[in-house]
Amino acid sequence: MKVFKFGGASLETIERIQQVGKIIQSFPDDKLLVVISAMGKTTNELEKVAQNYFMRKREIAAQLLYNIEQQHIQTAENLLGTREHPLFVQLQQFFTEAEWTLGEKPLRNYDYYYDQLVGLGELLSTAIVSAYFNEAGITNTWLDVRDVFRTDDNFRDANINWEVTEMQVNQKVLPLFNAVNIVITQGFIGSTDQNESVTLGREGSDFSAAVFANLLNADSQTIWKDVEGLKNADPKLFADTINIPEIAYGEVIEMAYYGAQVIHPKTIKPLQNKQIPLYVKCFLDKDLPGTVIRQDADNRKLPPIIVLKKNQVLISITSRDFSFITEDRISDIYEIFHDKKIKINLTQNAAITFSCCIDNNPEKIELLIKALHQGFKISYNEGLELLTVRHYKNGLLEALTKGRKILLEQRSDNTVQLVIK
């Protein structure tokens, strides 16, 4: 048993979808659980639908949804050569459910509606790919992961109920492999015990694949990307990046924590618990060696690892009466951040000021500042970046920050973090 995950970039064109099929066909003797993300930039487009709907701009939301529908129908027709296939009925059902949501008045919070609408992308992509593969002789079964992954109702960042999900994997997934070697399903989404759709956090498809790998006791998990493997920095942001042939679980967890986008932060733990190796491979050339992530990898020869998080906000929280920011005040601050579901990327506190760096999420920051203002004075800087370098060298840091203003710095023997403008 192997678990494969294909991201949106691998489905951006007809040729790339066909290439995914060739990769799967090159493993004829393996049972494959294939997790697939939304096509291309579909998730971004569905986020715009959700935003406009929640702002009561229903006509705009409906038009955006119609555009997404037409794009997917055209892709399906190009792959299948006809609109008479049963797939098109299935696609219409998905869009009808989304239209029902748009027809309601938004009476619940934004995160709930986000999950009802944005998860549509994975259902569309997997249905299309599954139907095309079957027509192309790549026999497979399509699975709605919402019938398998049971979660809580923490919308936009739902937590897996492992006990129930394991039971449903055993009852609903394993028997499918008695008839076929390939099962295609979605990443990123699940369902509450009230049958409400949820998402597992942005880029959560990697995590979905890891959950399946853990519960299926897979031999390995492979994430197929448009890069040669894991690199020491994002090649879209930095020149002269270095390939990493192997790396330990713990180092990748550190990278993910600091914001590296190659592996989702939750992905490693389910694999580490059962010592399942994770491969990062290139779908454009499957024969490239890629990267293997495993427990016994030697980290001593790693190059400097660079992670840059853009669009950051540095918030300074000061006590109104100039009293010290002690443990009890810090506890109050953290409770507010937890209540607003805001992750802190970096913290530093002085006598009367607590500073933190967070992602710039305007709707959440507005609520956060309103809550903090009740007990503290607030100031903040926008348009910042958080630079993290592990295994750093001073000459490298100087080159990375040349011409930039450093607003906050933290440094240890192994890691340096800089908030820069």
Side-chain angles (χ1 to χ4, degrees):
M1 176 74 70
K2 290 181 170 64
V3 174
F4 286 175
K5 181 262 176 174
F6 291 94
S10 63
L11 309 172
E12 281 184 333
T13 65
I14 298 299
E15 292 74 22
R16 287 191 171 190
I17 295 172
Q18 292 168 339
Q19 173 65 13
V20 171
K22 292 176 183 177
I23 291 171
I24 290 175
Q25 285 180 308
S26 68
F27 294 85
D29 299 324
D30 292 294
K31 294 186 181 298
L32 303 178
L33 189 289
V34 183
V35 173
I36 293 178
S37 299
M39 291 181 173
K41 302 299 183 182
T42 301
T43 299
N44 295 336
E45 296 304 311
L46 285 165
E47 286 179 339
K48 294 177 185 177
V49 174
Q51 290 162 2
N52 280 279
Y53 162 73
F54 199 71
M55 291 188 295
R56 307 296 203 275
K57 299 178 180 179
R58 292 189 189 178
E59 290 186 5
I60 297 176
Q63 182 62 52
L64 291 170
L65 183 65
Y66 176 79
N67 294 342
I68 294 168
E69 179 179 12
Q70 294 307 304
Q71 290 166 5
H72 282 79
I73 287 175
Q74 188 61 58
T75 297
E77 184 177 7
N78 290 342
L79 286 166
L80 297 172
T82 177
R83 291 198 181 189
E84 302 303 317
H85 194 280
L87 165 68
F88 292 90
V89 175
Q90 185 181 20
L91 297 180
Q92 186 56 58
Q93 290 171 344
F94 291 144
F95 281 105
T96 298
E97 291 177 15
E99 289 163 2
W100 287 342
T101 298
L102 296 185
E104 301 173 359
K105 290 184 178 180
L107 302 177
R108 300 175 65 169
N109 65 29
Y110 174 74
D111 289 352
Y112 168 78
Y113 293 107
Y114 178 101
D115 281 5
Q116 308 318 301
L117 292 166
V118 175
L120 173 65
E122 276 67 19
L123 295 169
L124 298 172
S125 63
T126 53
I128 291 171
V129 171
S130 174
Y132 165 66
F133 282 179
N134 276 322
E135 289 298 316
I138 308 171
T139 305
N140 72 89
T141 294
W142 181 85
L143 172 70
D144 190 334
V145 76
R146 296 175 299 176
D147 294 333
V148 180
F149 278 15
R150 179 66 54 82
T151 74
D152 60 14
D153 60 357
N154 185 32
F155 295 103
R156 288 188 75 177
D157 194 18
N159 299 292
I160 296 286
N161 181 325
W162 283 86
E163 183 178 353
V164 175
T165 300
E166 181 176 19
M167 179 185 68
Q168 295 188 154
V169 165
N170 291 332
Q171 292 178 354
K172 299 179 180 180
V173 181
L174 280 174
L176 298 176
F177 287 101
N178 294 327
V180 296
N181 279 351
I182 302 167
V183 173
I184 292 178
T185 193
Q186 307 79 37
F188 184 50
I189 60 177
S191 178
T192 71
D193 55 11
Q194 299 298 314
N195 291 322
E196 295 172 321
S197 296
V198 298
T199 63
L200 306 179
R202 202 70 157 84
E203 307 298 334
S205 293
D206 291 354
F207 175 57
S208 299
V211 172
F212 273 118
N214 178 288
L215 297 179
L216 291 167
N217 294 303
D219 297 323
S220 65
Q221 175 181 333
T222 302
I223 297 175
W224 296 90
K225 300 179 72 68
D226 57 352
V227 294
E228 297 176 35
L230 195 62
K231 293 178 175 288
N232 72 317
D234 186 342
K236 297 175 183 176
L237 301 177
F238 298 95
D240 303 320
T241 55
I242 302 169
N243 291 322
I244 300 174
E246 68 170 15
I247 190 169
Y249 293 124
E251 187 69 34
V252 175
I253 290 173
E254 293 283 349
M255 292 172 63
Y257 176 79
Y258 291 124
Q261 296 298 305
V262 174
I263 309 295
H264 188 273
K266 298 179 185 175
T267 300
I268 299 299
K269 191 60 179 173
L271 303 175
Q272 185 180 27
N273 286 348
K274 291 191 174 179
Q275 298 295 294
I276 299 170
L278 173 62
Y279 295 89
V280 180
K281 301 261 297 181
C282 180
F283 67 79
L284 298 173
D285 186 349
K286 68 180 182 61
D287 295 324
L288 291 174
T291 301
V292 59
I293 303 164
R294 59 187 177 210
Q295 185 67 36
D296 57 354
D298 185 359
N299 285 340
R300 291 175 296 180
K301 298 180 180 179
L302 286 176
I305 293 175
I306 305 166
V307 180
L308 184 67
K309 285 179 70 74
K310 296 192 173 186
N311 199 22
Q312 298 292 291
V313 177
L314 182 63
I315 299 181
S316 295
I317 304 166
T318 305
S319 56
R320 290 187 179 278
D321 58 1
F322 296 99
S323 59
F324 290 155
I325 300 290
T326 53
E327 289 80 2
D328 57 338
R329 305 305 301 276
I330 292 175
S331 177
D332 293 339
I333 292 169
Y334 270 104
E335 186 173 347
I336 292 172
F337 275 86
H338 176 73
D339 180 65
K340 303 306 176 187
K341 299 180 181 178
I342 295 176
K343 177 183 177 293
I344 299 176
N345 298 323
L346 178 67
T347 67
Q348 186 166 297
N349 62 288
I352 62 172
T353 302
F354 177 91
S355 299
C356 61
C357 184
I358 63 175
D359 296 342
N360 189 1
N361 188 324
E363 66 266 20
K364 288 191 175 184
I365 289 177
E366 182 179 351
L367 295 174
L368 172 71
I369 291 175
K370 184 177 180 181
L372 287 169
H373 259 308
Q374 297 176 20
F376 304 92
K377 292 189 292 184
I378 311 299
S379 62
Y380 63 95
N381 287 309
E382 297 178 301
L384 307 179
E385 297 177 349
L386 176 60
L387 175 68
T388 303
V389 185
R390 287 179 60 77
H391 317 293
Y392 62 89
K393 300 174 182 177
N394 287 329
L396 173 63
L397 291 177
E398 293 168 2
L400 291 173
T401 58
K402 185 177 181 180
R404 309 294 296 275
K405 182 179 181 180
I406 300 174
L407 302 183
L408 188 150
E409 176 176 344
Q410 287 187 2
R411 190 183 297 236
S412 69
D413 290 344
N414 195 45
T415 304
V416 61
Q417 287 193 281
L418 305 168
V419 178
I420 55 179
K421 186 172 184 178

